[in-house]
Amino acid sequence: APPECPFCGEAAGRELEEHVRARHGHLLGAPGTGNGEQLYECPMCSLTCADIQILEEHVDLHLEEHNFSEGGNIGDLELAQQLQTEEDERQRSEEEKREREEFKKLQRQYGLDNSGGFKQQFLRNMEREVNRGRMQPFEYHKRKADMMESLASGIDDGKTKTSGVIEALCKYYQNENKDVRRVWLSAGVDHFHSSLGDRGWGCGYRNFQMLLSSLLQNSFYNDCLRDTTLIPSIPKIQSMIEDAWKEGFDPHGASHFNNRLHGSKAWIGACEIYSLLTSLRIKCQIIDFHKPTGPMGTHPRLFEWILHYYSTDNEGGAKVVCTSKPPIYLQHQGHSRTVVGIEEKKNKSLCLLLFDPGCSSQEMQKLLKQDSDGTGLRLLRKFVGSLKEKQYQIVAVDGVLSLEEKAACCRASQVLTSEKIP
């Protein structure tokens, strides 16, 4: 029930203090004692005070205590809700801060942080080499001039290229009599490795250069590559992918890069390679090995698919089969390589032969020596137990597209999905 006034018994509710002061303020004083001193009695507890101000403060305490007892539970709930709201806001703010920091970290990791592209990294790394005494100033200026000429022409300078490895492998396997039963090799492929300008992020572009180097040697692709007769530089490849996006290829993937690659250090993967090749009217497909298919996280189905790719139409009895098949782009999280062949051992096990952009020209040159004993093949060989990433994707070339087929592929890429191997 609402509190009653101690003077008149009227229900006053939470306005008791205002009611007492307005209606009964004159009663707060009481007759004094016999010595003439004025006393004031508290109407709530009969306490006698000699000073009206003290009595008023005393009554205020009664009223505050009353208000607290009436509304204390509500106040506690409101306070708890306020504290929870503040804690939620703090946690949300910290989570947003962590998300921003993680996003910036990913942007740096994948070259999307606006820190410059091939040109800027090339110049910074050369300056660092000069400051450390590893490069003479005259060499710096010469390489800078060569780099600027390459960027202006859009043609790769060829300084990271090694040619003739496939031919050397063919000769080696002809004389190898140990444990290789048969080997299938791609059509001629040049190896390209990362340079000062793309170290740490350029593997996808270098693998495209390897694939393109093989296609340019095959007259079957002359028509669709008539505008691309030389190996393009990395910035030129970035512009070519942007052109594919402008045609309508893979809008979802393009949005991931804000429709811009040129001038960045953005990593590219299988979808960008597919879009670029298809825009050139080169027929290809993405195959997704989305989970291990063997023990210990291995992917034997990947090896079997690649064996089928190379051996189809190449079933002759020769030990070394130099096919007309282009190499295969192989992607996994954080890196990509180029498949240039596959070995079948006498015990039926399979071994891929891979060109890795991270392998230097000096190492690749060892494979060209006529007296090679095969030790250099350790750079290329990957057995089933060596490829244990969670997921792999490949891009395999399989002919030329008509203009109508290209348009159909463009429409399909707008909901681009890869074929998944179960």
Side-chain angles (χ1 to χ4, degrees):
E4 297 179 351
C5 174
F7 294 102
C8 64
E10 183 179 336
R14 293 190 178 182
E15 290 74 25
L16 178 61
E17 179 179 357
E18 289 80 358
H19 172 85
V20 170
R21 292 186 182 282
R23 298 281 297 277
H24 310 291
H26 62 286
L27 297 177
L28 292 177
T33 59
N35 58 10
E37 186 178 284
Q38 183 71 30
L39 296 178
Y40 304 93
E41 182 178 329
C42 173
M44 297 182 179
C45 66
S46 300
L47 175 70
T48 301
C49 301
D51 187 285
I52 184 63
Q53 184 175 357
I54 294 176
L55 178 61
E56 289 179 355
E57 292 175 357
H58 173 77
V59 172
D60 286 341
L61 290 175
H62 278 295
L63 296 174
E64 288 177 7
E65 183 179 283
H66 171 77
N67 289 336
F68 181 80
S69 64
E70 286 293 312
N73 292 336
I74 298 176
D76 287 347
L77 178 59
E78 292 176 348
L79 179 61
Q81 290 175 338
Q82 179 182 351
L83 292 174
Q84 185 62 49
T85 300
E86 292 174 355
E87 177 63 18
D88 292 343
E89 287 290 337
R90 185 187 66 80
Q91 291 183 358
R92 184 160 48 248
S93 176
E94 291 181 355
E95 182 65 24
E96 290 174 353
K97 181 179 178 181
R98 282 195 297 270
E99 289 178 355
R100 287 194 299 270
E101 291 173 351
E102 284 296 317
F103 183 66
K104 289 179 180 179
K105 182 179 178 181
L106 287 172
Q107 284 184 314
R108 289 193 298 272
Q109 180 180 350
Y110 291 100
L112 299 172
D113 58 347
N114 297 319
S115 63
F118 183 93
K119 175 183 174 181
Q120 290 80 0
Q121 179 173 315
F122 196 97
L123 293 175
R124 282 197 298 269
N125 283 336
M126 284 206 303
E127 290 169 359
R128 190 176 294 117
E129 293 293 292
V130 171
N131 292 334
R132 293 174 177 175
R134 298 174 182 172
M135 182 184 295
Q136 295 299 318
F138 76 87
E139 183 182 359
Y140 167 87
H141 291 291
K142 181 180 183 306
R143 294 185 65 176
K144 178 180 179 181
D146 291 344
M147 184 266 293
M148 296 300 290
E149 181 180 351
S150 173
L151 295 183
S153 67
I155 304 302
D156 186 80
D157 59 15
K159 295 184 184 300
T160 72
K161 180 175 74 172
T162 302
S163 300
V165 176
I166 297 295
E167 294 76 7
L169 290 175
C170 184
K171 292 179 181 178
Y172 167 77
Y173 284 113
Q174 295 285 1
N175 301 319
E176 198 277 341
N177 293 311
K178 294 180 181 178
D179 60 348
V180 176
R181 177 176 173 268
R182 297 189 73 184
V183 60
W184 291 265
L185 297 173
S186 294
V189 186
D190 295 330
H191 176 269
F192 290 82
H193 70 81
S194 300
S195 71
L196 292 176
D198 62 288
R199 188 173 298 160
W201 58 273
C203 59
Y205 304 96
R206 295 301 183 181
N207 285 305
F208 174 74
Q209 290 178 327
M210 295 187 209
L211 176 53
L212 185 61
S213 74
S214 183
L215 298 176
L216 288 172
Q217 298 177 52
N218 190 331
S219 59
F220 184 70
Y221 297 96
N222 284 352
D223 183 52
C224 54
L225 293 177
R226 61 177 178 270
D227 296 328
T228 311
T229 57
L230 296 172
I231 300 297
S233 63
I234 287 181
K236 177 62 175 178
I237 295 171
Q238 292 178 321
S239 296
M240 292 168 68
I241 296 173
E242 290 179 357
D243 290 340
W245 289 340
K246 291 174 184 176
E247 288 188 60
F249 286 95
D250 190 18
H252 177 73
S255 66
H256 172 75
F257 298 96
N258 293 321
N259 297 283
R260 187 182 70 87
L261 284 175
H262 192 271
S264 74
K265 293 183 287 189
W267 295 20
I268 60 171
C271 290
E272 289 68 52
I273 298 299
Y274 172 88
S275 295
L276 176 50
L277 289 171
T278 309
S279 72
L280 296 173
R281 290 183 41 234
I282 296 172
K283 184 180 180 181
C284 58
Q285 58 181 325
I286 298 179
I287 310 296
D288 184 7
F289 298 86
H290 60 101
K291 64 179 180 180
T293 52
M296 306 292 290
T298 56
H299 292 262
R301 293 292 299 277
L302 167 64
F303 284 70
E304 292 165 7
W305 195 99
I306 293 174
L307 175 64
H308 182 264
Y309 170 83
Y310 280 111
S311 62
T312 300
D313 303 325
N314 294 292
E315 289 290 354
K319 175 185 176 181
V320 182
V321 184
C322 296
T323 74
S324 60
K325 296 282 191 177
I328 298 171
Y329 180 94
L330 175 67
Q331 177 79 48
H332 64 79
Q333 177 64 35
H335 195 41
S336 60
R337 287 168 283 190
T338 298
V339 182
V340 299
I342 186 168
E343 296 177 353
E344 183 184 37
K345 302 295 187 180
K346 292 179 179 178
N347 64 2
K348 299 293 186 179
S349 65
L350 299 175
C351 176
L352 296 184
L353 299 174
L354 304 180
F355 278 3
D356 191 329
C359 186
S360 68
S361 294
Q362 291 82 357
E363 292 295 327
M364 296 300 294
Q365 292 286 337
K366 296 177 182 179
L367 295 167
L368 302 179
K369 296 180 180 179
Q370 294 297 320
D371 59 348
S372 174
D373 59 0
T375 55
L377 280 174
R378 287 180 296 181
L379 297 171
L380 310 184
R381 280 181 167 142
K382 294 297 177 184
F383 294 92
V384 173
S386 302
L387 299 184
K388 300 174 71 172
E389 296 289 336
K390 292 182 179 179
Q391 180 180 10
Y392 290 91
Q393 285 183 320
I394 61 174
V395 181
V397 172
D398 188 27
V400 174
L401 297 169
S402 66
L403 291 175
E404 293 78 12
E405 290 172 327
K406 173 184 171 180
C409 288
C410 182
R411 290 191 297 270
S413 77
Q414 294 171 8
V415 286
L416 182 62
T417 56
S418 58
E419 179 185 344
K420 289 188 176 182
I421 297 297

Short mmCIF file of all heavy atoms in Angstrom, two decimals, residues 217-243:
data_model
loop_
_atom_site.label_atom_id
_atom_site.label_comp_id
_atom_site.label_asym_id
_atom_site.label_seq_id
_atom_site.Cartn_x
_atom_site.Cartn_y
_atom_site.Cartn_z
N GLN A 217 53.75 -22.43 -77.42
CA GLN A 217 54.53 -23.33 -78.25
C GLN A 217 53.66 -24.33 -79.01
O GLN A 217 54.16 -25.14 -79.79
CB GLN A 217 55.54 -24.10 -77.39
CG GLN A 217 56.57 -23.22 -76.71
CD GLN A 217 57.51 -24.00 -75.81
OE1 GLN A 217 58.12 -24.98 -76.24
NE2 GLN A 217 57.64 -23.57 -74.56
N ASN A 218 52.35 -24.27 -78.78
CA ASN A 218 51.42 -25.21 -79.39
C ASN A 218 50.57 -24.47 -80.42
O ASN A 218 49.77 -23.60 -80.07
CB ASN A 218 50.53 -25.84 -78.30
CG ASN A 218 49.72 -27.00 -78.81
OD1 ASN A 218 49.35 -27.07 -79.98
ND2 ASN A 218 49.40 -27.92 -77.90
N SER A 219 50.73 -24.81 -81.70
CA SER A 219 50.03 -24.10 -82.77
C SER A 219 48.51 -24.22 -82.65
O SER A 219 47.78 -23.40 -83.22
CB SER A 219 50.49 -24.64 -84.13
OG SER A 219 50.21 -26.03 -84.24
N PHE A 220 48.02 -25.20 -81.91
CA PHE A 220 46.58 -25.37 -81.73
C PHE A 220 45.94 -24.14 -81.08
O PHE A 220 44.76 -23.87 -81.28
CB PHE A 220 46.33 -26.63 -80.89
CG PHE A 220 44.88 -26.97 -80.71
CD1 PHE A 220 44.12 -27.44 -81.78
CD2 PHE A 220 44.26 -26.82 -79.48
CE1 PHE A 220 42.77 -27.75 -81.61
CE2 PHE A 220 42.92 -27.13 -79.31
CZ PHE A 220 42.17 -27.59 -80.39
N TYR A 221 46.75 -23.39 -80.30
CA TYR A 221 46.21 -22.24 -79.56
C TYR A 221 46.60 -20.91 -80.21
O TYR A 221 46.40 -19.85 -79.60
CB TYR A 221 46.72 -22.28 -78.12
CG TYR A 221 46.24 -23.49 -77.36
CD1 TYR A 221 47.04 -24.63 -77.26
CD2 TYR A 221 44.98 -23.53 -76.77
CE1 TYR A 221 46.60 -25.76 -76.58
CE2 TYR A 221 44.53 -24.66 -76.10
CZ TYR A 221 45.35 -25.77 -76.02
OH TYR A 221 44.89 -26.89 -75.36
N ASN A 222 47.13 -20.97 -81.43
CA ASN A 222 47.59 -19.73 -82.09
C ASN A 222 46.47 -18.71 -82.25
O ASN A 222 46.68 -17.51 -82.04
CB ASN A 222 48.18 -20.06 -83.47
CG ASN A 222 49.57 -20.67 -83.36
OD1 ASN A 222 50.15 -20.71 -82.28
ND2 ASN A 222 50.10 -21.14 -84.48
N ASP A 223 45.28 -19.18 -82.63
CA ASP A 223 44.20 -18.25 -82.93
C ASP A 223 43.77 -17.46 -81.70
O ASP A 223 43.64 -16.24 -81.75
CB ASP A 223 43.01 -19.01 -83.52
CG ASP A 223 41.88 -18.06 -83.92
OD1 ASP A 223 42.16 -17.11 -84.66
OD2 ASP A 223 40.73 -18.27 -83.48
N CYS A 224 43.58 -18.17 -80.58
CA CYS A 224 43.09 -17.45 -79.39
C CYS A 224 44.20 -16.68 -78.68
O CYS A 224 43.91 -15.85 -77.82
CB CYS A 224 42.41 -18.42 -78.42
SG CYS A 224 43.40 -19.82 -77.93
N LEU A 225 45.46 -16.94 -79.05
CA LEU A 225 46.58 -16.23 -78.42
C LEU A 225 47.29 -15.27 -79.38
O LEU A 225 48.42 -14.86 -79.12
CB LEU A 225 47.60 -17.24 -77.86
CG LEU A 225 47.12 -18.10 -76.69
CD1 LEU A 225 48.19 -19.10 -76.29
CD2 LEU A 225 46.74 -17.24 -75.49
N ARG A 226 46.60 -14.91 -80.47
CA ARG A 226 47.28 -14.06 -81.46
C ARG A 226 47.62 -12.68 -80.90
O ARG A 226 48.52 -12.01 -81.40
CB ARG A 226 46.42 -13.93 -82.71
CG ARG A 226 45.06 -13.32 -82.51
CD ARG A 226 44.32 -13.18 -83.85
NE ARG A 226 42.99 -12.63 -83.69
CZ ARG A 226 41.90 -13.36 -83.49
NH1 ARG A 226 42.00 -14.68 -83.44
NH2 ARG A 226 40.71 -12.79 -83.35
N ASP A 227 46.89 -12.24 -79.86
CA ASP A 227 47.20 -10.95 -79.24
C ASP A 227 48.16 -11.10 -78.05
O ASP A 227 48.51 -10.11 -77.41
CB ASP A 227 45.92 -10.27 -78.76
CG ASP A 227 44.99 -9.92 -79.91
OD1 ASP A 227 45.51 -9.61 -81.00
OD2 ASP A 227 43.76 -9.96 -79.72
N THR A 228 48.57 -12.34 -77.76
CA THR A 228 49.47 -12.59 -76.63
C THR A 228 50.58 -13.52 -77.12
O THR A 228 50.58 -14.71 -76.85
CB THR A 228 48.72 -13.25 -75.45
OG1 THR A 228 47.52 -12.52 -75.18
CG2 THR A 228 49.57 -13.29 -74.20
N THR A 229 51.50 -12.94 -77.87
CA THR A 229 52.54 -13.76 -78.49
C THR A 229 53.79 -13.88 -77.63
O THR A 229 54.65 -14.72 -77.89
CB THR A 229 52.93 -13.18 -79.86
OG1 THR A 229 53.35 -11.81 -79.68
CG2 THR A 229 51.74 -13.21 -80.81
N LEU A 230 53.89 -13.03 -76.62
CA LEU A 230 55.04 -13.07 -75.70
C LEU A 230 54.52 -13.15 -74.27
O LEU A 230 53.38 -12.77 -73.98
CB LEU A 230 55.91 -11.82 -75.88
CG LEU A 230 56.59 -11.67 -77.26
CD1 LEU A 230 57.26 -10.30 -77.37
CD2 LEU A 230 57.59 -12.78 -77.50
N ILE A 231 55.37 -13.62 -73.38
CA ILE A 231 54.97 -13.77 -71.97
C ILE A 231 54.77 -12.39 -71.34
O ILE A 231 55.70 -11.58 -71.30
CB ILE A 231 56.02 -14.57 -71.19
CG1 ILE A 231 56.20 -15.96 -71.78
CG2 ILE A 231 55.62 -14.66 -69.71
CD1 ILE A 231 54.97 -16.84 -71.71
N PRO A 232 53.59 -12.10 -70.83
CA PRO A 232 53.34 -10.79 -70.21
C PRO A 232 53.98 -10.68 -68.84
O PRO A 232 54.21 -11.67 -68.15
CB PRO A 232 51.81 -10.73 -70.12
CG PRO A 232 51.38 -12.17 -70.05
CD PRO A 232 52.38 -12.94 -70.87
N SER A 233 54.26 -9.44 -68.45
CA SER A 233 54.77 -9.16 -67.11
C SER A 233 53.65 -9.33 -66.10
O SER A 233 52.47 -9.41 -66.45
CB SER A 233 55.32 -7.74 -67.04
OG SER A 233 54.27 -6.80 -67.27
N ILE A 234 54.02 -9.37 -64.83
CA ILE A 234 53.00 -9.54 -63.78
C ILE A 234 52.00 -8.38 -63.78
O ILE A 234 50.78 -8.63 -63.73
CB ILE A 234 53.66 -9.73 -62.41
CG1 ILE A 234 54.27 -11.13 -62.34
CG2 ILE A 234 52.65 -9.53 -61.28
CD1 ILE A 234 54.95 -11.46 -61.04
N PRO A 235 52.42 -7.10 -63.84
CA PRO A 235 51.40 -6.04 -63.91
C PRO A 235 50.50 -6.18 -65.13
O PRO A 235 49.30 -5.87 -65.05
CB PRO A 235 52.25 -4.76 -63.97
CG PRO A 235 53.52 -5.13 -63.27
CD PRO A 235 53.78 -6.55 -63.67
N LYS A 236 51.03 -6.66 -66.25
CA LYS A 236 50.20 -6.85 -67.44
C LYS A 236 49.18 -7.97 -67.20
O LYS A 236 48.01 -7.86 -67.59
CB LYS A 236 51.08 -7.19 -68.64
CG LYS A 236 50.31 -7.49 -69.92
CD LYS A 236 49.50 -6.29 -70.37
CE LYS A 236 48.83 -6.57 -71.72
NZ LYS A 236 48.00 -5.42 -72.16
N ILE A 237 49.61 -9.05 -66.53
CA ILE A 237 48.67 -10.14 -66.21
C ILE A 237 47.56 -9.61 -65.32
O ILE A 237 46.38 -9.98 -65.47
CB ILE A 237 49.42 -11.30 -65.54
CG1 ILE A 237 50.42 -11.93 -66.51
CG2 ILE A 237 48.44 -12.37 -65.06
CD1 ILE A 237 51.35 -12.96 -65.86
N GLN A 238 47.91 -8.74 -64.37
CA GLN A 238 46.88 -8.16 -63.51
C GLN A 238 45.85 -7.38 -64.33
O GLN A 238 44.65 -7.49 -64.09
CB GLN A 238 47.54 -7.24 -62.47
CG GLN A 238 48.37 -7.99 -61.44
CD GLN A 238 49.06 -7.07 -60.45
OE1 GLN A 238 49.54 -6.00 -60.82
NE2 GLN A 238 49.11 -7.48 -59.19
N SER A 239 46.33 -6.63 -65.31
CA SER A 239 45.40 -5.88 -66.17
C SER A 239 44.56 -6.82 -67.01
O SER A 239 43.37 -6.55 -67.25
CB SER A 239 46.20 -4.93 -67.08
OG SER A 239 46.89 -3.95 -66.31
N MET A 240 45.14 -7.94 -67.46
CA MET A 240 44.39 -8.91 -68.26
C MET A 240 43.27 -9.54 -67.44
O MET A 240 42.17 -9.77 -67.95
CB MET A 240 45.35 -9.99 -68.79
CG MET A 240 46.35 -9.47 -69.81
SD MET A 240 47.68 -10.67 -70.16
CE MET A 240 46.77 -11.97 -71.01
N ILE A 241 43.54 -9.82 -66.16
CA ILE A 241 42.48 -10.37 -65.31
C ILE A 241 41.39 -9.33 -65.09
O ILE A 241 40.19 -9.65 -65.11
CB ILE A 241 43.07 -10.84 -63.96
CG1 ILE A 241 44.05 -12.00 -64.18
CG2 ILE A 241 41.96 -11.26 -63.00
CD1 ILE A 241 44.80 -12.42 -62.94
N GLU A 242 41.77 -8.07 -64.90
CA GLU A 242 40.78 -7.01 -64.75
C GLU A 242 39.91 -6.90 -66.01
O GLU A 242 38.69 -6.68 -65.92
CB GLU A 242 41.47 -5.67 -64.47
CG GLU A 242 42.11 -5.58 -63.09
CD GLU A 242 42.81 -4.25 -62.87
OE1 GLU A 242 42.85 -3.43 -63.81
OE2 GLU A 242 43.32 -4.04 -61.75
N ASP A 243 40.53 -7.07 -67.19
CA ASP A 243 39.76 -7.04 -68.44
C ASP A 243 38.75 -8.19 -68.48
O ASP A 243 37.62 -8.02 -68.96
CB ASP A 243 40.70 -7.13 -69.64
CG ASP A 243 41.53 -5.86 -69.82
OD1 ASP A 243 41.13 -4.81 -69.28
OD2 ASP A 243 42.59 -5.93 -70.50
#
